[in-house]
Amino acid sequence: MSKYIIYSAQTEAVNREQKVTDDAMFSDGYTTRYCDIIKHPTENLWAVVIDKFYTELFTQEEIDSSVELTPDWYS
C-alpha cells in the first residue's frame, strides 16, 4: 500500500510532485515515470504519493512522516 506526504499548501505539493517526477524521468536515462498528487475532496489538503518503486527520490524524513490516506480522501 502506498504512503502519502500531506501538504496544506497546493504550491508546495505541486513543487514536490514535479521534482519527484523530474527526478524519476531521468533517474535511469530512458524510463519515464511520474508521481501522483491527490486533492482532498473537502479540505485544502494535497497528498503526494510515495510509491514503492521510487522511494529513493524522497528523503528519510518524508518517508518517516508519510501516512496512509483515510477513507474521507476518496469520498
Side-chain angles (χ1 to χ4, degrees):
M1 178 170 275
S2 293
K3 293 266 198 143
Y4 302 82
I5 304 170
I6 307 300
Y7 291 93
S8 58
Q10 181 179 11
T11 54
E12 288 180 17
V14 169
N15 288 343
R16 188 63 183 111
E17 175 268 334
Q18 189 60 55
K19 170 100 172 80
V20 172
T21 298
D22 290 348
D23 290 349
M25 289 174 60
F26 299 110
S27 65
D28 63 10
Y30 59 90
T31 302
T32 301
R33 298 182 288 171
Y34 62 92
C35 180
D36 286 325
I37 188 168
I38 300 170
K39 166 73 171 88
H40 191 282
T42 59
E43 302 289 329
N44 284 327
L45 298 172
W46 291 262
V48 174
V49 180
I50 298 181
D51 188 279
K52 66 181 179 179
F53 297 110
Y54 52 80
T55 56
E56 74 277 2
L57 301 176
F58 292 92
T59 66
Q60 188 60 49
E61 183 179 348
E62 289 173 321
I63 293 169
D64 291 345
S65 66
S66 64
V67 297
E68 292 181 10
L69 295 185
T70 55
D72 61 313
W73 279 83
Y74 303 104
S75 57

